[in-house]
Amino acid sequence: MNRLRDLREDKDITQKELAKRFNIDQSNYSKYELEKIEIPLKLLKDLAIFYNTSTDYILGITNEIKPYPRKN
């Protein structure tokens, strides 16, 4: 997904660093960015929180980068 790559690059993080942070294989993360495999829901949620955006933005459903208000 180009948005995943863009968000990652905006934070100046490599795929390897991000994969280590989320305890996943770097080659799988690369496949998520390239849309070769689906992102697990737990990881999608964690990435949205990490990037301070919404899952809808990551998935390309909306162009609004600001996240929804979080539940308390």
Side-chain angles (χ1 to χ4, degrees):
M1 294 180 178
N2 290 334
R3 289 193 173 170
L4 275 182
R5 185 188 68 228
D6 291 343
L7 289 166
R8 178 179 55 77
E9 289 176 347
D10 286 348
K11 284 195 170 258
D12 293 322
I13 300 172
T14 66
Q15 286 184 353
K16 184 176 180 179
E17 292 168 329
L18 196 96
K20 183 176 180 181
R21 177 181 183 89
F22 290 101
N23 197 31
I24 58 175
D25 188 72
Q26 184 272 326
S27 64
N28 278 347
Y29 186 80
S30 175
K31 291 174 187 174
Y32 301 144
E33 284 191 3
L34 296 171
E35 298 183 10
K36 291 186 176 185
I37 60 175
E38 297 286 323
I39 302 172
L41 286 176
K42 169 88 170 86
L43 179 58
L44 179 62
K45 178 183 172 185
D46 292 344
L47 288 168
I49 291 168
F50 177 74
Y51 289 128
N52 194 34
T53 191
S54 69
T55 56
D56 284 355
Y57 178 77
I58 292 173
L59 295 173
I61 296 169
T62 182
N63 289 326
E64 180 64 44
I65 196 166
K66 289 173 49 177
Y68 303 118
R70 302 236 190 263
K71 290 167 58 173
N72 291 338

